Amino acid sequence: MAAARRARAGGGGGAGPRFGRAAEPAPAVPQGLLRLARRSGQLNLAGRGLTHVPEHVWRINLDTPEEAQQNLSFGAADRWWEQTDLTKLILASNKLQSLSEDVQLLPALTMLDVHDNQLTSLPSALGQLENLQKLDVSHNQLRSLPEELLQLPRLRSLLVQHNQLSQLPEGLGQLLSLEELDVSNNQLTAIPSSFALLVNLVRLNLACNQLRELPADLSAMKSLRQLDCTKNYLETVPPKLATMASLEQLYLRKNKLRSLPEFPSCKLLKELHAGENQIEMLNAENLKQLSSLCVLELRDNKIKAVPEEITLLQKLERLDLANNDISRLPYTLGNLPQLKFLALEGNPLRAIRRDLLQKGTQELLKYLRSKIQDDAPGPNEEPPVTAMTLPSQSKVNIHAITTLKLLEYSDKQAAEIPEAVFDAVGSNPVATVNFSKNQLREIPPRLVELKDSVCDVSLGFNKISSISSELCLLQKLTHLDLRNNVLTALPEEMEALKRLHTINLAFNRFKVFPNVLYHLPALETILLSNNQVGSIDPVQLKGLDKLGTLDLQNNDLLQVPPELGNCENLRSLLLEGNPFRTPRAAVLAKGTAAVLEYLRSRIPS
């Protein structure tokens, strides 16, 4: 190598005269950076506003350095004729619309990173970079990948997420060395059958595409440990996938699954995420097979019951069953030895009071254990329930009103709440109101009659388009659930709800972050996912010093203000599914603390 460099430096037919052209403009890349690159073999040109890559970058291994033309004495560190070829080139976060075929002049490259540009295609010359091990072309505008890409025998990591790909090369399975493949956030409708040949693949991300099925051949990926199929249109999972013995993490969130897949051979499966589907039942046999499971996430489904066999998951640390239709839990759940997090909010639980849920997982498990002995009723026991028949043929549970302080009229598909429901309350204080899953178009006016005692109101899954003044008079309100309605705004009069600490506005039609929320000092949890919110005010959010959870997933945020990092009380900040470019998905995946730290680092000094 050194001899080759000396030959090039010796003149003759060399490239030295290229640097002698007086008319050539000043290079966009400082010579100091190029000198460092010749020593280290690495060149980082990220975030320099480049619209094209200067020719002398592609020719860094060929052209005689500028310092060689000058009369300098070289120290050991500056002996350019002994310096190394470029192995890593980072061109991320520029304005590149194309890459030159001259990329082939860098045959020693092991890593090429051009993510976050404006590339619409890739040069076929990439196929000549036979030493390339990592290629990151994510966050561009690619509509296809060149077939030449399949000629890279050493490629281990291929990142093409956040492009406009509608299909992948049929021969992608030729990349036998591939260990990581991310094709998420594209427009893929199918996966090439050749994927079955990727026997060394460890991580595969298919999230946020348009897949309606997975090929059974994926089961041939014997090394696969992480499979992410989030946010597609999957209705089933091929039974053969259950033979993937190395699988440790499986993400199936936001699909159309009606049942949990069976995993008889996935003995190493540690995390199963299947929230936001249409799962109605947990099969006891399925649960028995998941002996290594640490995380089971099933929130936002239609699960009605939890089988006793859940207690066979002895390694379970996190169980998320929020926002289902569960009315009763097996008390033996309290015996799970490793369980540290149990989410149950948004379920019509009969026997567990709201205040107990708020005390946290350990208190809840302690309560469940205490009830194990009391679970079996005596032979002649009848629950003390009386009911009052309404003209609508529905019933009001008087016992729930008098004993649990609960007024419930949910899942009736009613256009309005019958007068008899409120009449049944009488002089009894009601703490909790559940009118969810009806066809209500407005806040029931008689709700104001409960203002002296009610602290928890659920009006989710209705057709409410505006908030009336009656709701603003419920000044003892601490929990308000308005998800899955058609709200576009909140009235400023809601500022009177000084005790409100949890509000759920997910799945509405907000285009603007409701201004009144900035003026509710007790707020601890704001759930605003799946709306169309375009911006937030980090300065006003910082004023909510009790705010611990802020869910803004799946909105229209084009940027995340760095000042949001100053909201250091946030324990859970959820931002996935927005069109902003930074923070990157890799930062988001590290959790809230890492995101906040990243944002603070971006605040202009």
Side-chain angles (χ1 to χ4, degrees):
M1 176 66 69
R5 291 189 183 279
R6 284 194 295 274
R8 290 198 295 265
R18 296 175 59 86
F19 282 84
R21 297 181 200 152
E24 199 164 291
V29 181
Q31 285 299 320
L33 265 185
L34 296 176
R35 279 198 296 274
L36 286 173
R38 291 192 185 93
R39 287 207 298 270
S40 66
Q42 302 179 21
L43 179 57
N44 187 344
L45 298 176
R48 290 184 167 268
L50 298 177
T51 56
H52 69 283
V53 180
E55 188 178 3
H56 57 272
V57 170
W58 299 128
R59 299 185 58 85
I60 189 172
N61 295 339
L62 302 176
D63 289 346
T64 307
E66 186 174 275
E67 60 266 29
Q69 310 297 319
Q70 302 169 7
N71 225 356
L72 299 174
S73 59
F74 296 102
D78 290 320
R79 298 209 301 240
W80 54 267
W81 57 89
E82 291 181 358
Q83 290 164 11
T84 186
D85 280 343
L86 203 63
T87 58
K88 294 184 179 180
L89 177 58
I90 301 174
L91 297 166
S93 301
N94 281 293
K95 300 175 182 178
L96 303 176
Q97 296 183 356
S98 63
L99 284 182
S100 168
E101 296 286 344
D102 285 347
V103 68
Q104 64 189 299
L105 301 178
L106 300 174
L109 277 186
T110 60
M111 192 266 273
L112 176 60
D113 182 352
V114 289
H115 83 265
D116 188 20
N117 277 283
Q118 300 164 21
L119 301 176
T120 56
S121 63
L122 295 175
S124 58
L126 281 178
Q128 299 184 38
L129 302 180
E130 60 180 25
N131 291 300
L132 200 63
Q133 296 178 23
K134 179 175 181 178
L135 176 61
D136 187 348
V137 294
S138 62
H139 292 270
N140 279 285
Q141 299 166 25
L142 301 175
R143 296 184 179 276
S144 63
L145 298 177
E147 292 288 333
E148 289 80 5
L149 212 58
L150 310 181
Q151 301 168 12
L152 300 174
R154 295 181 175 84
L155 195 64
R156 293 182 182 177
S157 175
L158 177 58
L159 307 179
V160 296
Q161 68 268 28
H162 289 276
N163 277 284
Q164 299 171 23
L165 302 174
S166 57
Q167 61 182 18
L168 296 172
E170 188 57 46
L172 203 64
Q174 297 173 36
L175 298 173
L176 298 180
S177 298
L178 212 55
E179 297 175 3
E180 178 183 30
L181 176 59
D182 192 338
V183 296
S184 63
N185 290 278
N186 278 285
Q187 298 158 20
L188 302 175
T189 56
I191 298 301
S193 57
S194 68
F195 264 41
L197 301 174
L198 300 175
V199 293
N200 291 308
L201 202 65
V202 175
R203 291 179 296 278
L204 174 58
N205 193 341
L206 303 171
C208 301
N209 278 287
Q210 299 169 22
L211 302 174
R212 296 188 178 276
E213 60 181 7
L214 295 175
D217 295 341
L218 287 185
S219 59
M221 296 179 177
K222 299 303 182 185
S223 302
L224 198 66
R225 294 205 296 263
Q226 183 185 87
L227 175 59
D228 191 344
C229 301
T230 301
K231 204 173 183 182
N232 278 281
Y233 300 107
L234 303 176
E235 295 183 7
T236 59
V237 173
K240 282 186 71 175
L241 243 61
T243 64
M244 301 177 77
S246 297
L247 199 61
E248 295 179 4
Q249 296 174 303
L250 179 58
Y251 296 83
L252 295 167
R253 300 184 75 245
K254 297 186 181 182
N255 280 283
K256 296 186 176 183
L257 300 176
R258 295 189 176 276
S259 62
L260 205 58
E262 296 184 22
F263 302 99
S265 301
C266 298
K267 303 298 184 185
L268 298 179
L269 193 63
K270 293 181 174 63
E271 296 188 24
L272 176 56
H273 301 260
E276 293 188 58
N277 278 282
Q278 299 167 23
I279 298 170
E280 296 184 359
M281 187 178 72
L282 293 181
N283 187 304
E285 288 301 313
N286 290 11
L287 293 176
K288 289 179 182 178
Q289 301 158 359
L290 300 172
S291 56
S292 295
L293 209 62
C294 300
V295 177
L296 179 57
E297 188 264 300
L298 294 166
R299 66 182 298 124
D300 295 287
N301 277 287
K302 300 176 180 179
I303 298 167
K304 292 180 170 56
V306 179
E308 294 281 347
E309 284 78 4
I310 193 87
T311 56
L312 296 175
L313 307 182
Q314 290 288 296
K315 294 183 180 178
L316 201 62
E317 297 178 10
R318 296 177 63 87
L319 177 59
D320 191 342
L321 295 168
N323 304 326
N324 278 280
D325 293 330
I326 300 166
S327 58
R328 182 182 174 281
L329 286 177
Y331 293 138
T332 48
L333 195 62
N335 286 333
L336 284 174
Q338 306 295 328
L339 199 60
K340 299 180 179 67
F341 174 84
L342 175 60
L344 294 168
E345 67 270 12
N347 282 287
L349 292 167
R350 300 283 184 264
I352 302 178
R353 291 279 302 276
R354 166 75 72 174
D355 61 337
L356 182 60
L357 291 177
Q358 292 172 357
K359 289 181 179 177
T361 297
Q362 294 311 312
E363 283 296 312
L364 181 54
L365 296 179
K366 183 178 175 182
Y367 168 79
L368 291 173
R369 287 193 294 271
S370 74
K371 300 293 287 184
I372 290 175
Q373 298 303 318
D374 307 334
D375 199 18
N380 300 316
E381 274 190 44
E382 285 290 332
V385 174
T386 57
M388 176 178 133
T389 304
L390 300 173
S392 64
Q393 301 303 310
S394 299
K395 295 181 178 180
V396 175
N397 189 334
I398 303 296
H399 173 71
I401 294 174
T402 57
T403 307
L404 301 177
K405 301 181 180 179
L406 166 66
L407 178 60
E408 177 160 18
Y409 194 79
S410 65
D411 211 2
K412 309 292 187 191
Q413 301 304 308
E416 58 184 29
I417 305 300
E419 297 295 321
V421 172
F422 289 101
D423 294 342
V425 174
S427 60
N428 293 293
V430 168
T432 303
V433 173
N434 184 0
F435 292 160
S436 64
K437 298 182 180 178
N438 283 295
Q439 300 286 322
L440 304 179
R441 295 183 178 276
E442 62 179 7
I443 306 293
R446 289 187 65 182
L447 201 56
V448 73
E449 296 173 13
L450 310 175
K451 64 183 176 62
D452 292 333
S453 58
V454 71
C455 57
D456 186 337
V457 171
S458 178
L459 290 162
F461 298 91
N462 280 288
K463 297 181 177 179
I464 299 170
S465 59
S466 63
I467 302 300
S468 60
S469 58
E470 283 86 2
L471 190 71
C472 305
L473 298 174
L474 307 181
Q475 295 188 12
K476 293 189 176 180
L477 206 59
T478 59
H479 289 77
L480 179 57
D481 188 344
L482 291 165
R483 70 187 132 146
N484 290 78
N485 279 284
V486 289
L487 295 169
T488 58
L490 297 180
E492 292 300 322
E493 290 81 359
M494 280 183 67
E495 191 172 343
L497 303 179
K498 297 298 185 185
R499 298 187 186 184
L500 190 66
H501 62 70
T502 298
I503 187 165
N504 191 341
L505 299 169
F507 291 94
N508 275 281
R509 298 180 182 175
F510 291 96
K511 293 187 177 180
V512 176
F513 190 95
N515 187 65
V516 70
L517 297 185
Y518 294 129
H519 306 296
L520 295 173
L523 273 180
E524 298 174 10
T525 300
I526 298 176
L527 306 178
L528 199 56
S529 67
N530 295 278
N531 281 279
Q532 300 163 41
V533 174
S535 64
I536 50 176
D537 186 336
V539 177
Q540 294 204 70
L541 274 175
K542 191 176 188 305
L544 299 177
D545 53 13
K546 294 183 179 179
L547 189 64
T549 298
L550 177 59
D551 185 351
L552 291 167
Q553 295 177 99
N554 301 316
N555 275 281
D556 291 340
L557 295 175
L558 291 172
Q559 60 179 349
V560 181
E563 293 79 10
L564 188 59
N566 290 328
C567 299
E568 297 184 26
N569 290 324
L570 282 176
R571 298 184 303 277
S572 178
L573 174 61
L574 303 172
L575 297 170
E576 290 82 359
N578 281 281
F580 56 75
R581 286 177 175 256
T582 57
R584 297 274 176 237
V587 176
L588 298 180
K590 293 178 182 178
T592 298
V595 172
L596 295 178
E597 183 179 354
Y598 170 85
L599 290 172
R600 287 194 294 274
S601 74
R602 309 274 290 191
I603 297 174
S605 54

